[in-house]
PDB file of all heavy atoms in Angstrom:
ATOM      1  N   ILE N   1     112.858  62.155  52.043  1.00  0.00           N
ATOM      2  CA  ILE N   1     114.223  62.366  51.556  1.00  0.00           C
ATOM      3  C   ILE N   1     114.341  61.814  50.143  1.00  0.00           C
ATOM      4  O   ILE N   1     113.837  60.719  49.842  1.00  0.00           O
ATOM      5  CB  ILE N   1     115.258  61.680  52.478  1.00  0.00           C
ATOM      6  CG1 ILE N   1     115.192  62.260  53.898  1.00  0.00           C
ATOM      7  CG2 ILE N   1     116.672  61.849  51.912  1.00  0.00           C
ATOM      8  CD1 ILE N   1     116.116  61.569  54.897  1.00  0.00           C
ATOM      9  N   ARG N   2     115.000  62.582  49.286  1.00  0.00           N
ATOM     10  CA  ARG N   2     115.280  62.136  47.925  1.00  0.00           C
ATOM     11  C   ARG N   2     116.788  62.168  47.682  1.00  0.00           C
ATOM     12  O   ARG N   2     117.463  63.140  48.038  1.00  0.00           O
ATOM     13  CB  ARG N   2     114.562  63.023  46.894  1.00  0.00           C
ATOM     14  CG  ARG N   2     113.046  62.922  46.956  1.00  0.00           C
ATOM     15  CD  ARG N   2     112.571  61.532  46.555  1.00  0.00           C
ATOM     16  NE  ARG N   2     111.115  61.400  46.575  1.00  0.00           N
ATOM     17  CZ  ARG N   2     110.427  60.910  47.597  1.00  0.00           C
ATOM     18  NH1 ARG N   2     111.068  60.525  48.712  1.00  0.00           N
ATOM     19  NH2 ARG N   2     109.106  60.788  47.520  1.00  0.00           N
ATOM     20  N   PHE N   3     117.296  61.108  47.060  1.00  0.00           N
ATOM     21  CA  PHE N   3     118.722  60.974  46.787  1.00  0.00           C
ATOM     22  C   PHE N   3     119.000  61.247  45.306  1.00  0.00           C
ATOM     23  O   PHE N   3     118.366  60.648  44.438  1.00  0.00           O
ATOM     24  CB  PHE N   3     119.215  59.567  47.127  1.00  0.00           C
ATOM     25  CG  PHE N   3     119.051  59.201  48.581  1.00  0.00           C
ATOM     26  CD1 PHE N   3     117.871  58.619  49.027  1.00  0.00           C
ATOM     27  CD2 PHE N   3     120.067  59.436  49.492  1.00  0.00           C
ATOM     28  CE1 PHE N   3     117.712  58.279  50.367  1.00  0.00           C
ATOM     29  CE2 PHE N   3     119.919  59.096  50.827  1.00  0.00           C
ATOM     30  CZ  PHE N   3     118.732  58.515  51.268  1.00  0.00           C
ATOM     31  N   HIS N   4     119.940  62.133  45.043  1.00  0.00           N
ATOM     32  CA  HIS N   4     120.379  62.444  43.686  1.00  0.00           C
ATOM     33  C   HIS N   4     121.862  62.098  43.629  1.00  0.00           C
ATOM     34  O   HIS N   4     122.705  62.862  44.129  1.00  0.00           O
ATOM     35  CB  HIS N   4     120.133  63.916  43.381  1.00  0.00           C
ATOM     36  CG  HIS N   4     118.709  64.334  43.639  1.00  0.00           C
ATOM     37  ND1 HIS N   4     117.722  64.260  42.679  1.00  0.00           N
ATOM     38  CD2 HIS N   4     118.104  64.809  44.763  1.00  0.00           C
ATOM     39  CE1 HIS N   4     116.578  64.689  43.196  1.00  0.00           C
ATOM     40  NE2 HIS N   4     116.780  65.028  44.460  1.00  0.00           N
ATOM     41  N   VAL N   5     122.184  60.936  43.067  1.00  0.00           N
ATOM     42  CA  VAL N   5     123.501  60.341  43.288  1.00  0.00           C
ATOM     43  C   VAL N   5     124.307  60.249  41.995  1.00  0.00           C
ATOM     44  O   VAL N   5     123.787  59.878  40.938  1.00  0.00           O
ATOM     45  CB  VAL N   5     123.368  58.953  43.939  1.00  0.00           C
ATOM     46  CG1 VAL N   5     122.852  59.105  45.360  1.00  0.00           C
ATOM     47  CG2 VAL N   5     122.450  58.036  43.150  1.00  0.00           C
ATOM     48  N   LEU N   6     125.568  60.580  42.111  1.00  0.00           N
ATOM     49  CA  LEU N   6     126.476  60.609  40.962  1.00  0.00           C
ATOM     50  C   LEU N   6     127.433  59.437  41.047  1.00  0.00           C
ATOM     51  O   LEU N   6     128.060  59.209  42.086  1.00  0.00           O
ATOM     52  CB  LEU N   6     127.237  61.936  40.957  1.00  0.00           C
ATOM     53  CG  LEU N   6     126.315  63.159  40.996  1.00  0.00           C
ATOM     54  CD1 LEU N   6     127.077  64.410  41.364  1.00  0.00           C
ATOM     55  CD2 LEU N   6     125.603  63.321  39.661  1.00  0.00           C
ATOM     56  N   SER N   7     127.551  58.688  39.965  1.00  0.00           N
ATOM     57  CA  SER N   7     128.467  57.548  39.973  1.00  0.00           C
ATOM     58  C   SER N   7     129.897  58.039  39.794  1.00  0.00           C
ATOM     59  O   SER N   7     130.155  59.017  39.105  1.00  0.00           O
ATOM     60  CB  SER N   7     128.077  56.527  38.901  1.00  0.00           C
ATOM     61  OG  SER N   7     127.923  57.136  37.632  1.00  0.00           O
ATOM     62  N   ASP N   8     130.823  57.341  40.410  1.00  0.00           N
ATOM     63  CA  ASP N   8     132.198  57.816  40.575  1.00  0.00           C
ATOM     64  C   ASP N   8     133.093  57.368  39.429  1.00  0.00           C
ATOM     65  O   ASP N   8     133.271  58.056  38.435  1.00  0.00           O
ATOM     66  CB  ASP N   8     132.722  57.324  41.928  1.00  0.00           C
ATOM     67  CG  ASP N   8     134.021  57.978  42.346  1.00  0.00           C
ATOM     68  OD1 ASP N   8     134.728  58.524  41.476  1.00  0.00           O
ATOM     69  OD2 ASP N   8     134.353  57.955  43.542  1.00  0.00           O
ATOM     70  N   GLY N   9     133.723  56.218  39.554  1.00  0.00           N
ATOM     71  CA  GLY N   9     134.558  55.686  38.484  1.00  0.00           C
ATOM     72  C   GLY N   9     135.935  56.301  38.379  1.00  0.00           C
ATOM     73  O   GLY N   9     136.699  55.963  37.469  1.00  0.00           O
ATOM     74  N   ARG N  10     136.287  57.210  39.296  1.00  0.00           N
ATOM     75  CA  ARG N  10     137.632  57.799  39.286  1.00  0.00           C
ATOM     76  C   ARG N  10     138.365  57.486  40.587  1.00  0.00           C
ATOM     77  O   ARG N  10     139.545  57.156  40.576  1.00  0.00           O
ATOM     78  CB  ARG N  10     137.564  59.314  39.090  1.00  0.00           C
ATOM     79  CG  ARG N  10     137.109  59.718  37.722  1.00  0.00           C
ATOM     80  CD  ARG N  10     137.079  61.214  37.527  1.00  0.00           C
ATOM     81  NE  ARG N  10     138.405  61.795  37.442  1.00  0.00           N
ATOM     82  CZ  ARG N  10     138.655  62.980  36.885  1.00  0.00           C
ATOM     83  NH1 ARG N  10     137.658  63.693  36.375  1.00  0.00           N
ATOM     84  NH2 ARG N  10     139.865  63.448  36.827  1.00  0.00           N
ATOM     85  N   ASP N  11     137.674  57.621  41.697  1.00  0.00           N
ATOM     86  CA  ASP N  11     138.293  57.390  42.999  1.00  0.00           C
ATOM     87  C   ASP N  11     138.007  55.995  43.526  1.00  0.00           C
ATOM     88  O   ASP N  11     138.520  55.616  44.583  1.00  0.00           O
ATOM     89  CB  ASP N  11     137.809  58.448  43.998  1.00  0.00           C
ATOM     90  CG  ASP N  11     138.076  59.855  43.490  1.00  0.00           C
ATOM     91  OD1 ASP N  11     139.144  60.064  42.891  1.00  0.00           O
ATOM     92  OD2 ASP N  11     137.216  60.728  43.671  1.00  0.00           O
ATOM     93  N   VAL N  12     137.169  55.262  42.797  1.00  0.00           N
ATOM     94  CA  VAL N  12     136.902  53.847  43.094  1.00  0.00           C
ATOM     95  C   VAL N  12     136.873  53.107  41.760  1.00  0.00           C
ATOM     96  O   VAL N  12     137.025  53.719  40.701  1.00  0.00           O
ATOM     97  CB  VAL N  12     135.555  53.664  43.836  1.00  0.00           C
ATOM     98  CG1 VAL N  12     135.597  54.320  45.208  1.00  0.00           C
ATOM     99  CG2 VAL N  12     134.398  54.240  43.021  1.00  0.00           C
ATOM    100  N   ASP N  13     136.654  51.813  41.811  1.00  0.00           N
ATOM    101  CA  ASP N  13     136.568  50.993  40.598  1.00  0.00           C
ATOM    102  C   ASP N  13     135.596  51.633  39.606  1.00  0.00           C
ATOM    103  O   ASP N  13     134.477  52.010  39.968  1.00  0.00           O
ATOM    104  CB  ASP N  13     136.072  49.593  41.000  1.00  0.00           C
ATOM    105  CG  ASP N  13     136.137  48.594  39.861  1.00  0.00           C
ATOM    106  OD1 ASP N  13     135.755  48.957  38.745  1.00  0.00           O
ATOM    107  OD2 ASP N  13     136.560  47.454  40.103  1.00  0.00           O
ATOM    108  N   GLU N  14     136.019  51.737  38.344  1.00  0.00           N
ATOM    109  CA  GLU N  14     135.198  52.429  37.348  1.00  0.00           C
ATOM    110  C   GLU N  14     133.957  51.646  36.944  1.00  0.00           C
ATOM    111  O   GLU N  14     133.127  52.148  36.184  1.00  0.00           O
ATOM    112  CB  GLU N  14     136.021  52.759  36.108  1.00  0.00           C
ATOM    113  CG  GLU N  14     136.450  51.559  35.282  1.00  0.00           C
ATOM    114  CD  GLU N  14     137.093  51.979  33.965  1.00  0.00           C
ATOM    115  OE1 GLU N  14     136.806  53.088  33.490  1.00  0.00           O
ATOM    116  OE2 GLU N  14     137.886  51.182  33.442  1.00  0.00           O
ATOM    117  N   ASN N  15     133.813  50.433  37.449  1.00  0.00           N
ATOM    118  CA  ASN N  15     132.627  49.640  37.137  1.00  0.00           C
ATOM    119  C   ASN N  15     131.916  49.178  38.412  1.00  0.00           C
ATOM    120  O   ASN N  15     131.463  48.046  38.516  1.00  0.00           O
ATOM    121  CB  ASN N  15     133.011  48.433  36.269  1.00  0.00           C
ATOM    122  CG  ASN N  15     133.460  48.847  34.886  1.00  0.00           C
ATOM    123  OD1 ASN N  15     132.809  49.654  34.229  1.00  0.00           O
ATOM    124  ND2 ASN N  15     134.597  48.332  34.454  1.00  0.00           N
ATOM    125  N   SER N  16     131.806  50.074  39.369  1.00  0.00           N
ATOM    126  CA  SER N  16     131.158  49.734  40.641  1.00  0.00           C
ATOM    127  C   SER N  16     129.837  50.472  40.851  1.00  0.00           C
ATOM    128  O   SER N  16     129.225  50.357  41.911  1.00  0.00           O
ATOM    129  CB  SER N  16     132.101  50.029  41.809  1.00  0.00           C
ATOM    130  OG  SER N  16     132.505  51.400  41.808  1.00  0.00           O
ATOM    131  N   ALA N  17     129.378  51.242  39.866  1.00  0.00           N
ATOM    132  CA  ALA N  17     128.168  52.061  40.044  1.00  0.00           C
ATOM    133  C   ALA N  17     126.945  51.214  40.364  1.00  0.00           C
ATOM    134  O   ALA N  17     126.129  51.575  41.225  1.00  0.00           O
ATOM    135  CB  ALA N  17     127.913  52.903  38.792  1.00  0.00           C
ATOM    136  N   VAL N  18     126.791  50.094  39.670  1.00  0.00           N
ATOM    137  CA  VAL N  18     125.629  49.240  39.910  1.00  0.00           C
ATOM    138  C   VAL N  18     125.626  48.744  41.354  1.00  0.00           C
ATOM    139  O   VAL N  18     124.594  48.758  42.044  1.00  0.00           O
ATOM    140  CB  VAL N  18     125.614  48.057  38.923  1.00  0.00           C
ATOM    141  CG1 VAL N  18     124.514  47.056  39.297  1.00  0.00           C
ATOM    142  CG2 VAL N  18     125.404  48.558  37.495  1.00  0.00           C
ATOM    143  N   ALA N  19     126.796  48.332  41.823  1.00  0.00           N
ATOM    144  CA  ALA N  19     126.889  47.839  43.205  1.00  0.00           C
ATOM    145  C   ALA N  19     126.570  48.939  44.206  1.00  0.00           C
ATOM    146  O   ALA N  19     125.919  48.691  45.238  1.00  0.00           O
ATOM    147  CB  ALA N  19     128.289  47.276  43.460  1.00  0.00           C
ATOM    148  N   TRP N  20     127.009  50.172  43.915  1.00  0.00           N
ATOM    149  CA  TRP N  20     126.745  51.268  44.854  1.00  0.00           C
ATOM    150  C   TRP N  20     125.268  51.632  44.881  1.00  0.00           C
ATOM    151  O   TRP N  20     124.707  51.891  45.955  1.00  0.00           O
ATOM    152  CB  TRP N  20     127.597  52.482  44.501  1.00  0.00           C
ATOM    153  CG  TRP N  20     128.980  52.382  45.073  1.00  0.00           C
ATOM    154  CD1 TRP N  20     130.142  52.169  44.401  1.00  0.00           C
ATOM    155  CD2 TRP N  20     129.322  52.453  46.452  1.00  0.00           C
ATOM    156  NE1 TRP N  20     131.199  52.097  45.283  1.00  0.00           N
ATOM    157  CE2 TRP N  20     130.720  52.272  46.547  1.00  0.00           C
ATOM    158  CE3 TRP N  20     128.585  52.644  47.622  1.00  0.00           C
ATOM    159  CZ2 TRP N  20     131.392  52.284  47.772  1.00  0.00           C
ATOM    160  CZ3 TRP N  20     129.256  52.655  48.847  1.00  0.00           C
ATOM    161  CH2 TRP N  20     130.640  52.476  48.898  1.00  0.00           C
ATOM    162  N   VAL N  21     124.620  51.666  43.729  1.00  0.00           N
ATOM    163  CA  VAL N  21     123.186  51.969  43.712  1.00  0.00           C
ATOM    164  C   VAL N  21     122.412  50.849  44.412  1.00  0.00           C
ATOM    165  O   VAL N  21     121.447  51.103  45.146  1.00  0.00           O
ATOM    166  CB  VAL N  21     122.688  52.187  42.273  1.00  0.00           C
ATOM    167  CG1 VAL N  21     121.169  52.319  42.240  1.00  0.00           C
ATOM    168  CG2 VAL N  21     123.325  53.433  41.678  1.00  0.00           C
ATOM    169  N   ALA N  22     122.854  49.620  44.205  1.00  0.00           N
ATOM    170  CA  ALA N  22     122.193  48.490  44.876  1.00  0.00           C
ATOM    171  C   ALA N  22     122.332  48.613  46.394  1.00  0.00           C
ATOM    172  O   ALA N  22     121.372  48.351  47.143  1.00  0.00           O
ATOM    173  CB  ALA N  22     122.791  47.173  44.390  1.00  0.00           C
ATOM    174  N   ARG N  23     123.504  49.029  46.844  1.00  0.00           N
ATOM    175  CA  ARG N  23     123.718  49.198  48.289  1.00  0.00           C
ATOM    176  C   ARG N  23     122.826  50.307  48.848  1.00  0.00           C
ATOM    177  O   ARG N  23     122.211  50.148  49.911  1.00  0.00           O
ATOM    178  CB  ARG N  23     125.183  49.501  48.565  1.00  0.00           C
ATOM    179  CG  ARG N  23     125.493  49.697  50.038  1.00  0.00           C
ATOM    180  CD  ARG N  23     126.970  49.881  50.291  1.00  0.00           C
ATOM    181  NE  ARG N  23     127.234  50.120  51.692  1.00  0.00           N
ATOM    182  CZ  ARG N  23     128.468  50.324  52.202  1.00  0.00           C
ATOM    183  NH1 ARG N  23     129.517  50.291  51.406  1.00  0.00           N
ATOM    184  NH2 ARG N  23     128.621  50.531  53.497  1.00  0.00           N
ATOM    185  N   LEU N  24     122.765  51.427  48.125  1.00  0.00           N
ATOM    186  CA  LEU N  24     121.914  52.522  48.588  1.00  0.00           C
ATOM    187  C   LEU N  24     120.456  52.101  48.602  1.00  0.00           C
ATOM    188  O   LEU N  24     119.717  52.409  49.549  1.00  0.00           O
ATOM    189  CB  LEU N  24     122.107  53.760  47.700  1.00  0.00           C
ATOM    190  CG  LEU N  24     121.207  54.953  48.023  1.00  0.00           C
ATOM    191  CD1 LEU N  24     121.404  55.425  49.461  1.00  0.00           C
ATOM    192  CD2 LEU N  24     121.468  56.098  47.048  1.00  0.00           C
ATOM    193  N   GLN N  25     120.013  51.397  47.557  1.00  0.00           N
ATOM    194  CA  GLN N  25     118.619  50.960  47.513  1.00  0.00           C
ATOM    195  C   GLN N  25     118.298  50.036  48.688  1.00  0.00           C
ATOM    196  O   GLN N  25     117.206  50.121  49.285  1.00  0.00           O
ATOM    197  CB  GLN N  25     118.327  50.247  46.191  1.00  0.00           C
ATOM    198  CG  GLN N  25     116.863  49.882  45.996  1.00  0.00           C
ATOM    199  CD  GLN N  25     115.963  51.104  45.981  1.00  0.00           C
ATOM    200  OE1 GLN N  25     116.090  51.966  45.108  1.00  0.00           O
ATOM    201  NE2 GLN N  25     115.054  51.213  46.957  1.00  0.00           N
ATOM    202  N   LYS N  26     119.233  49.161  49.033  1.00  0.00           N
ATOM    203  CA  LYS N  26     119.025  48.261  50.179  1.00  0.00           C
ATOM    204  C   LYS N  26     118.868  49.073  51.459  1.00  0.00           C
ATOM    205  O   LYS N  26     117.996  48.788  52.295  1.00  0.00           O
ATOM    206  CB  LYS N  26     120.201  47.293  50.292  1.00  0.00           C
ATOM    207  CG  LYS N  26     120.080  46.296  51.436  1.00  0.00           C
ATOM    208  CD  LYS N  26     121.272  45.356  51.473  1.00  0.00           C
ATOM    209  CE  LYS N  26     121.154  44.379  52.642  1.00  0.00           C
ATOM    210  NZ  LYS N  26     122.342  43.456  52.697  1.00  0.00           N
ATOM    211  N   ASP N  27     119.708  50.120  51.625  1.00  0.00           N
ATOM    212  CA  ASP N  27     119.613  50.958  52.822  1.00  0.00           C
ATOM    213  C   ASP N  27     118.323  51.779  52.817  1.00  0.00           C
ATOM    214  O   ASP N  27     117.698  51.983  53.863  1.00  0.00           O
ATOM    215  CB  ASP N  27     120.824  51.883  52.916  1.00  0.00           C
ATOM    216  CG  ASP N  27     122.072  51.161  53.400  1.00  0.00           C
ATOM    217  OD1 ASP N  27     121.946  50.043  53.922  1.00  0.00           O
ATOM    218  OD2 ASP N  27     123.175  51.727  53.250  1.00  0.00           O
ATOM    219  N   VAL N  28     117.928  52.275  51.644  1.00  0.00           N
ATOM    220  CA  VAL N  28     116.670  53.025  51.530  1.00  0.00           C
ATOM    221  C   VAL N  28     115.496  52.141  51.961  1.00  0.00           C
ATOM    222  O   VAL N  28     114.613  52.571  52.721  1.00  0.00           O
ATOM    223  CB  VAL N  28     116.470  53.543  50.084  1.00  0.00           C
ATOM    224  CG1 VAL N  28     115.024  53.981  49.860  1.00  0.00           C
ATOM    225  CG2 VAL N  28     117.418  54.700  49.807  1.00  0.00           C
ATOM    226  N   ASP N  29     115.495  50.904  51.504  1.00  0.00           N
ATOM    227  CA  ASP N  29     114.422  49.977  51.880  1.00  0.00           C
ATOM    228  C   ASP N  29     114.415  49.748  53.393  1.00  0.00           C
ATOM    229  O   ASP N  29     113.347  49.677  54.018  1.00  0.00           O
ATOM    230  CB  ASP N  29     114.593  48.649  51.147  1.00  0.00           C
ATOM    231  CG  ASP N  29     114.380  48.769  49.645  1.00  0.00           C
ATOM    232  OD1 ASP N  29     113.770  49.770  49.211  1.00  0.00           O
ATOM    233  OD2 ASP N  29     114.844  47.875  48.911  1.00  0.00           O
ATOM    234  N   ALA N  30     115.613  49.641  53.975  1.00  0.00           N
ATOM    235  CA  ALA N  30     115.710  49.409  55.421  1.00  0.00           C
ATOM    236  C   ALA N  30     115.231  50.631  56.203  1.00  0.00           C
ATOM    237  O   ALA N  30     114.520  50.491  57.210  1.00  0.00           O
ATOM    238  CB  ALA N  30     117.153  49.070  55.791  1.00  0.00           C
ATOM    239  N   TRP N  31     115.607  51.837  55.754  1.00  0.00           N
ATOM    240  CA  TRP N  31     115.142  53.053  56.430  1.00  0.00           C
ATOM    241  C   TRP N  31     113.624  53.152  56.373  1.00  0.00           C
ATOM    242  O   TRP N  31     112.973  53.481  57.363  1.00  0.00           O
ATOM    243  CB  TRP N  31     115.776  54.283  55.788  1.00  0.00           C
ATOM    244  CG  TRP N  31     117.159  54.599  56.262  1.00  0.00           C
ATOM    245  CD1 TRP N  31     117.604  54.635  57.553  1.00  0.00           C
ATOM    246  CD2 TRP N  31     118.290  54.928  55.449  1.00  0.00           C
ATOM    247  NE1 TRP N  31     118.938  54.974  57.600  1.00  0.00           N
ATOM    248  CE2 TRP N  31     119.383  55.163  56.319  1.00  0.00           C
ATOM    249  CE3 TRP N  31     118.483  55.066  54.069  1.00  0.00           C
ATOM    250  CZ2 TRP N  31     120.651  55.522  55.855  1.00  0.00           C
ATOM    251  CZ3 TRP N  31     119.749  55.426  53.597  1.00  0.00           C
ATOM    252  CH2 TRP N  31     120.809  55.638  54.483  1.00  0.00           C
ATOM    253  N   ASN N  32     113.060  52.887  55.195  1.00  0.00           N
ATOM    254  CA  ASN N  32     111.604  52.959  55.055  1.00  0.00           C
ATOM    255  C   ASN N  32     110.901  51.915  55.923  1.00  0.00           C
ATOM    256  O   ASN N  32     109.829  52.180  56.486  1.00  0.00           O
ATOM    257  CB  ASN N  32     111.193  52.771  53.592  1.00  0.00           C
ATOM    258  CG  ASN N  32     111.446  54.006  52.748  1.00  0.00           C
ATOM    259  OD1 ASN N  32     111.323  55.134  53.230  1.00  0.00           O
ATOM    260  ND2 ASN N  32     111.805  53.817  51.482  1.00  0.00           N
ATOM    261  N   ALA N  33     111.506  50.740  56.040  1.00  0.00           N
ATOM    262  CA  ALA N  33     110.904  49.680  56.853  1.00  0.00           C
ATOM    263  C   ALA N  33     110.963  50.020  58.337  1.00  0.00           C
ATOM    264  O   ALA N  33     110.014  49.751  59.087  1.00  0.00           O
ATOM    265  CB  ALA N  33     111.602  48.347  56.577  1.00  0.00           C
ATOM    266  N   GLU N  34     112.069  50.612  58.757  1.00  0.00           N
ATOM    267  CA  GLU N  34     112.242  50.941  60.175  1.00  0.00           C
ATOM    268  C   GLU N  34     111.395  52.148  60.588  1.00  0.00           C
ATOM    269  O   GLU N  34     110.871  52.201  61.698  1.00  0.00           O
ATOM    270  CB  GLU N  34     113.717  51.224  60.463  1.00  0.00           C
ATOM    271  CG  GLU N  34     114.005  51.547  61.923  1.00  0.00           C
ATOM    272  CD  GLU N  34     115.484  51.819  62.179  1.00  0.00           C
ATOM    273  OE1 GLU N  34     116.281  51.667  61.234  1.00  0.00           O
ATOM    274  OE2 GLU N  34     115.826  52.180  63.328  1.00  0.00           O
ATOM    275  N   HIS N  35     111.280  53.094  59.692  1.00  0.00           N
ATOM    276  CA  HIS N  35     110.535  54.322  60.000  1.00  0.00           C
ATOM    277  C   HIS N  35     109.310  54.362  59.087  1.00  0.00           C
ATOM    278  O   HIS N  35     109.363  54.872  57.966  1.00  0.00           O
ATOM    279  CB  HIS N  35     111.417  55.544  59.781  1.00  0.00           C
ATOM    280  CG  HIS N  35     112.714  55.504  60.534  1.00  0.00           C
ATOM    281  ND1 HIS N  35     112.815  55.809  61.874  1.00  0.00           N
ATOM    282  CD2 HIS N  35     113.968  55.164  60.124  1.00  0.00           C
ATOM    283  CE1 HIS N  35     114.067  55.671  62.265  1.00  0.00           C
ATOM    284  NE2 HIS N  35     114.792  55.277  61.226  1.00  0.00           N
TER     285      HIS N  35
END
């Protein structure tokens, strides 16, 4: 699976992109570790 992700800044805090990518990366690492 490959993720192609667009940062928001309109419907959420306009400076939350780093936090969202960090969250996704943490989940990606967990998925890879589990499977």
Side-chain angles (χ1 to χ4, degrees):
I1 299 176
R2 294 294 181 264
F3 299 89
H4 307 271
V5 292
L6 306 165
S7 52
D8 192 340
R10 291 181 72 159
D11 304 321
V12 295
D13 188 316
E14 68 172 336
N15 292 313
S16 57
V18 172
W20 277 109
V21 173
R23 180 175 178 180
L24 176 59
Q25 186 61 62
K26 181 179 179 181
D27 283 345
V28 165
D29 293 342
W31 278 313
N32 284 326
E34 181 180 355
H35 305 281

